[in-house]
Amino acid sequence: RAYLAVQATWRSERFRDEASLAVLPSGWDARFDAFIESDDKRWAVEVYGVSLLNKQAADLYGVVVSLRF
């Protein structure tokens, strides 16, 4: 079993604080997730990336490996 998911999000201008003084600019953000697992479900691997287009945050990539025995 395997899947690939890609998501893009547009966020309009918004505020970082309750007083509406610190503005967060509008812009795009994106993420992806890829997953594969064995037929007997004994192992699985997930690869992901988040904040790919967000200029206010660093890109984050990761890998998750699961083994069942």
Side-chain angles (χ1 to χ4, degrees), residues 27 35 39 67:
F35 176 85
D39 289 336
L67 303 171

Side-chain angles (χ1 to χ4, degrees), residues 3 16 28 30 34 38 46 52 64:
Y3 75 81
R16 184 183 314 257
W28 285 98
S38 64
E46 179 183 6
L52 301 178
V64 177

Side-chain angles (χ1 to χ4, degrees), residues 41-69:
K41 299 189 179 205
R42 292 186 58 107
W43 60 265
V45 177
E46 179 183 6
V47 178
Y48 60 89
V50 297
S51 296
L52 301 178
L53 300 177
N54 184 349
K55 294 180 173 76
Q56 306 298 317
D59 297 349
L60 174 66
Y61 299 96
V63 176
V64 177
V65 177
S66 300
L67 303 171
R68 297 177 186 96
F69 51 93

Side-chain angles (χ1 to χ4, degrees), residues 1-6 32-37 45-48:
R1 182 172 94 151
Y3 75 81
L4 173 66
V6 178
F32 75 87
D33 291 287
F35 176 85
I36 188 167
E37 111 183 313
V45 177
E46 179 183 6
V47 178
Y48 60 89

